[in-house]
Amino acid sequence: DTAVSQTPKYLVTQMGNDKSIKCEQNLGHDTMYWYKQDSKKFLKIMFSYNNKELIINETVPNRFSPKSPDKAHLNLHINSLELGDSAVYFCASSQDVGEVYEQYFGPGTRLTVT
Amino acid sequence: KNQVEQSPQSLIILEGKNCTLQCNYTVSPFSNLRWYKQDTGRGPVSLTIMTFSENTKSNGRYTATLDADTKQSSLHITASQLSDSASYICVVSGDTGGFKTIFGAGTRLFVKA
């Protein structure tokens, strides 16, 4: 009964392709996030949704498009993949929006663009 | 510029020994500071959270301290175990009404038998 799950765990694809990463949480949380962890291990927020509404959109290329069909899901679609998109992408959720709420992270999706 | 810097970058200790990891930050105004443990190939897991008024917080063998005046925090691990081998990430959140959470690069801890 994984709290935050992501699929796939590994994704290898070529430049120019379009790919999606799925995320689901069964914690009943209202807020979900996407983070990117680069080779230097820094985690950076990309997007956040609260009750299916986009509330945070950091400086991310518009090739990245999040979609939240319901509160339990936040998927990430990436168009025209580039070499620099190679990273580990983490989904997370929290009870509500705000930094006082603990975030629970998924296991990550390692994306490799060749 | 808001930053979170951790030291050392990596650390090797023998099983059973204690160690202390450091975190310095410049995030202002300050809301809270968290320490996360990230095992290889896994997502980060929260260990402790401290707000401005808290100086210390313990979670089993993990004890975090916070000096909000000097903007420094430390994570002390007592009687280390092999399972403590992981990255420890310091995360500082601001209090600006908007989302301002900065992650440090982490300290990679290796515990050897």
Side-chain angles (χ1 to χ4, degrees):
Chain A
D1 55 345
T2 305
V4 182
S5 59
Q6 297 178 225
T7 54
K9 187 166 177 63
Y10 300 96
L11 184 54
V12 181
T13 188
Q14 292 183 330
M15 285 175 54
N17 286 347
D18 302 339
K19 291 294 179 184
S20 292
I21 307 172
K22 295 185 177 181
C23 177
E24 177 181 1
Q25 55 95 3
N26 62 7
L27 297 167
H29 288 168
D30 286 345
T31 306
M32 297 184 72
Y33 312 80
W34 275 111
Y35 286 87
K36 179 181 181 181
Q37 187 172 39
D38 59 26
S39 58
K40 295 183 179 179
K41 303 301 182 184
F42 284 102
L43 270 158
K44 293 181 181 177
I45 183 78
M46 299 174 67
F47 302 101
S48 178
Y49 273 70
N50 180 256
N51 283 317
K52 302 192 301 176
E53 296 294 324
L54 180 67
I55 57 170
I56 296 171
N57 185 350
E58 292 296 297
T59 307
V60 177
N62 57 16
R63 297 182 294 104
F64 291 78
S65 53
K67 283 188 172 52
S68 181
D70 54 59
K71 287 195 320 181
H73 296 84
L74 180 61
N75 304 322
L76 184 64
H77 188 76
I78 315 170
N79 289 327
S80 303
L81 278 156
E82 301 178 357
L83 293 177
D85 297 332
S86 295
V88 182
Y89 291 85
F90 286 98
C91 176
S93 73
S94 62
Q95 183 179 339
D96 203 341
V97 65
E99 286 110 330
V100 297
Y101 294 98
E102 180 177 349
Q103 294 184 27
Y104 294 80
F105 286 80
T109 295
R110 180 174 293 278
L111 171 64
T112 303
V113 182
T114 61
Chain B
K1 182 179 178 182
N2 292 307
Q3 288 186 312
V4 176
E5 296 184 350
Q6 294 186 240
S7 61
Q9 190 173 26
S10 63
L11 182 62
I12 302 173
I13 62 173
L14 291 176
E15 185 180 14
K17 297 296 185 182
N18 303 336
C19 67
T20 299
L21 314 180
Q22 299 292 342
C23 174
N24 297 337
Y25 63 92
T26 61
V27 178
S28 181
F30 173 83
S31 174
N32 62 70
L33 184 147
R34 285 196 175 93
W35 282 94
Y36 281 88
K37 178 186 179 187
Q38 185 176 17
D39 292 311
T40 301
R42 309 286 291 272
V45 175
S46 180
L47 294 175
T48 63
I49 177 173
M50 288 180 292
T51 58
F52 184 88
S53 59
E54 297 175 292
N55 302 118
T56 185
K57 186 72 70 78
S58 291
N59 178 358
R61 293 179 297 101
Y62 302 101
T63 299
T65 64
L66 173 66
D67 186 335
D69 291 331
T70 62
K71 294 185 170 57
Q72 295 179 326
S73 176
S74 65
L75 180 68
H76 187 75
I77 304 175
T78 304
S80 61
Q81 300 177 359
L82 297 179
S83 59
D84 292 332
S85 295
S87 287
Y88 292 85
I89 303 172
C90 175
V91 184
V92 182
S93 294
D95 184 15
T96 63
F99 188 88
K100 185 188 288 183
T101 293
I102 311 295
F103 286 71
T107 291
R108 190 74 175 92
L109 176 65
F110 300 89
V111 180
K112 297 176 62 175

